[in-house]
Amino acid sequence: MSSKTFSTIAIVSALFLFVSSGFAYMGHGKHAQGRYHWDPDAIVTVSGEVIKVETTTMRCCGSNYHGVHLYLKTKDGELEVHLGPKEFVNEEITIKKGDQLTVKGSKTEYNDTSVIFAATVTKDGKKVTLRNDDGIPVWAGKGKHHMRNR
């Protein structure tokens, strides 16, 4: 193989990897870049009692994705909170009905419902970080989001 052919193959391969990894990271929604439904201008902190914890299942990327959601009773009413993948959240914190939590995250509309995408959850003085200040999930790139029941 000539050096010119090898160089061409190397360049094309590098471009393919660069473009495909960019698409994998982009995400969707209003702010893209992997920050699903994240609005940095809508950060709120709320406290209240957990009235329901559920794991929802949705089909994504050829497998099932199991996400942990909870409903928090606050002084202003009930709020739905999206935490993250069951496999990641359950390793970091145990949340059950009746727990008192403080949640910081981005409050936005999702499926016609007001929802908080949690960045941090604090329970009994223990603070767990789920997303960074840019809304990027801390499990991204760690393989946690690929640990799905099929």
Side-chain angles (χ1 to χ4, degrees), residues 1-98:
M1 180 184 315
S2 72
S3 64
K4 184 176 181 181
T5 302
F6 179 77
S7 295
T8 302
I9 291 171
I11 290 170
V12 169
S13 297
L15 284 172
F16 174 77
L17 288 172
F18 177 75
V19 169
S20 63
S21 65
F23 281 121
Y25 181 71
M26 279 175 52
H28 65 283
K30 183 176 172 185
H31 295 282
Q33 298 296 319
R35 298 179 293 265
Y36 302 107
H37 310 287
W38 188 262
D39 184 351
D41 297 325
I43 304 299
V44 297
T45 301
V46 296
S47 294
E49 179 182 344
V50 176
I51 54 176
K52 182 179 180 183
V53 180
E54 64 184 14
T55 300
T56 60
T57 302
M58 64 184 215
R59 192 82 176 144
C60 178
C61 309
S63 63
N64 290 327
Y65 169 86
H66 305 284
V68 178
H69 305 260
L70 60 87
Y71 295 86
L72 197 64
K73 182 179 178 182
T74 72
K75 64 179 178 149
D76 296 323
E78 185 179 309
L79 283 171
E80 183 175 347
V81 179
H82 291 215
L83 300 178
K86 174 182 78 170
E87 294 81 2
F88 179 80
V89 172
N90 290 346
E91 284 181 12
E92 301 297 319
I93 190 168
T94 301
I95 300 173
K96 61 187 183 319
K97 183 178 178 180

